[in-house]
Amino acid sequence: MSAVNTGEKQKIGLVLEGGGMKCAYASGILDCFLEGDINFDYVIGVSAGSANGISFVAKQHGRSLRFYTDHIHDPGYFGVKPLIEQGGIFGLDYIYGDLSSSKGKDPLDYETFAANPTDYEAVATDAATGKSVYFGKDDVAQDDYRAVMASSCLPVVSKPVYFKGRYFYDGGVSDAIPCRRAFERGCTKIVVITSKTRNFVKEPEAHRYAYTRALRDWPNMIDAIDRRHIMYRECQRVMFGSEAGGKAFVYCVPEGIKLSTYNRDENVSLELYNAGRRDYADSCAALRAFLAK
């Protein structure tokens, strides 16, 4: 099923929030989209959402889930080994190299990704300016997934990713739920998958002393993190306002599930994944009606 109106031409976008291991929730919904042949004209992802998004555009059912269950105990994925070897708690080189390359353990189907007419963007934050940068399909090449690495590079616990002559950090610092960007790219409607509950309120960042010291070479990143709660609330305002206006269909994580960016319990990831599948099943008729209007 193509997410396009049979009358007036629509451009339907899919917006994927980041959130580390919490994004197992989105992977459940995305697998249901693939099973139901629900496609989009445009996909934009942030951080782990950009990783989920690229697997979705590559039409690789189950691949995202494996990164929350099967691979999380690999020594190079998370913890001491990547911290020593790469200077970051998440092994971005391992995840997007050793695992995702054409000769890796869980390769991205780059040919399908590139051939898919769906437009794709990953949001990163320029370390020097603290502003959002949007990498597109032209920035992704076979076995070169630095655009997604840049989008997923958490400040403080990771070194910035060098790409195209600049240094980048996680896109969630500057545009956590990029609904506005989707509309700017011409989307008439969007489906949004978040990694938070519907009533989530973003508070100012804690541990300011730690991140100001860690990012002392990047003062605009410090400013961006200082304002992150304001940015996030604005993203929510656009998202929920678009939902109220009939322009967005929003999925939020249900209450009562343990949420952690750094979760390494595959049972929690499976609970989130299955929650996503249940939410899709419960909303399937409403979603298809939304897409068909």
Side-chain angles (χ1 to χ4, degrees):
M1 166 181 177
S2 177
V4 175
N5 192 304
T6 56
E8 181 184 354
K9 175 68 175 176
Q10 303 253 18
K11 180 175 181 179
I12 311 297
L14 174 63
V15 177
L16 302 171
E17 183 184 9
M21 309 309 284
K22 297 189 291 290
C23 292
Y25 170 75
S27 69
I29 298 171
L30 294 175
D31 275 355
C32 290
F33 288 169
L34 289 172
E35 292 162 14
D37 194 27
I38 295 177
N39 303 298
F40 297 87
D41 302 295
Y42 170 83
V43 174
I44 185 168
V46 183
S47 194
S50 70
N52 279 351
I54 201 169
S55 292
F56 176 73
V57 177
K59 297 185 178 296
Q60 289 180 271
H61 184 281
R63 182 173 187 268
S64 290
L65 175 62
R66 291 194 292 274
F67 282 79
Y68 303 113
T69 55
D70 295 5
H71 303 315
I72 56 174
H73 301 299
D74 293 359
Y77 189 102
F78 178 90
V80 175
K81 182 177 172 65
L83 184 64
I84 293 172
E85 295 181 354
Q86 302 174 40
I89 197 167
F90 280 104
L92 298 180
D93 289 337
Y94 178 77
I95 294 168
Y96 299 108
D98 294 0
L99 287 176
S100 298
S101 70
S102 55
K103 295 182 180 180
K105 188 162 66 171
D106 204 337
L108 179 78
D109 185 345
Y110 176 78
E111 289 186 0
T112 298
F113 166 77
N116 191 331
T118 296
D119 194 10
Y120 169 85
E121 286 192 312
V123 187
T125 302
D126 188 308
T129 67
K131 303 296 184 183
S132 299
V133 175
Y134 303 92
F135 293 118
K137 267 190 168 179
D138 291 343
D139 298 306
V140 181
Q142 176 77 67
D143 296 342
D144 184 356
Y145 305 126
R146 285 176 293 170
V148 184
M149 289 173 64
S151 180
S152 306
C153 183
L154 294 171
V156 182
V157 297
S158 299
K159 291 182 178 179
V161 170
Y162 185 72
F163 185 46
K164 292 185 175 291
R166 309 283 291 180
Y167 288 94
F168 296 97
Y169 278 112
D170 194 288
V173 174
S174 56
D175 194 2
I177 315 174
C179 300
R180 191 184 301 277
R181 173 69 176 181
F183 289 126
E184 289 172 352
R185 290 297 303 272
C187 293
T188 53
K189 292 180 182 178
I190 57 174
V191 174
V192 187
I193 308 179
T194 75
S195 61
K196 313 291 191 304
T197 58
R198 184 167 283 270
N199 63 356
F200 174 77
V201 176
K202 179 71 174 171
E203 300 294 344
E205 293 292 325
H207 312 298
R208 189 175 189 276
Y209 175 78
Y211 71 74
T212 54
R213 280 190 58 81
L215 299 169
R216 56 187 176 275
D217 293 333
W218 308 108
N220 286 321
M221 279 297 300
I222 296 172
D223 290 343
I225 294 174
D226 284 343
R227 294 180 52 81
R228 192 174 182 182
H229 62 294
I230 299 171
M231 173 276 299
Y232 194 91
R233 292 171 190 175
E234 174 61 15
C235 287
Q236 288 179 307
R237 187 190 69 79
V238 174
M239 176 178 69
F240 289 129
S242 299
E243 181 184 44
K247 298 297 184 182
F249 194 99
V250 178
Y251 287 96
C252 296
V253 178
E255 299 282 348
I257 299 178
K258 177 183 177 182
L259 296 176
S260 170
T261 300
Y262 306 109
N263 167 61
R264 295 185 71 195
D265 183 342
E266 61 268 28
N267 293 318
V268 173
S269 294
L270 282 169
E271 184 181 8
L272 282 164
Y273 176 84
N274 289 325
R277 293 190 65 92
R278 286 193 300 272
D279 282 357
Y280 169 81
D282 291 344
S283 66
C284 182
L287 174 66
R288 289 182 179 272
F290 170 81
L291 296 175
K293 287 179 184 177

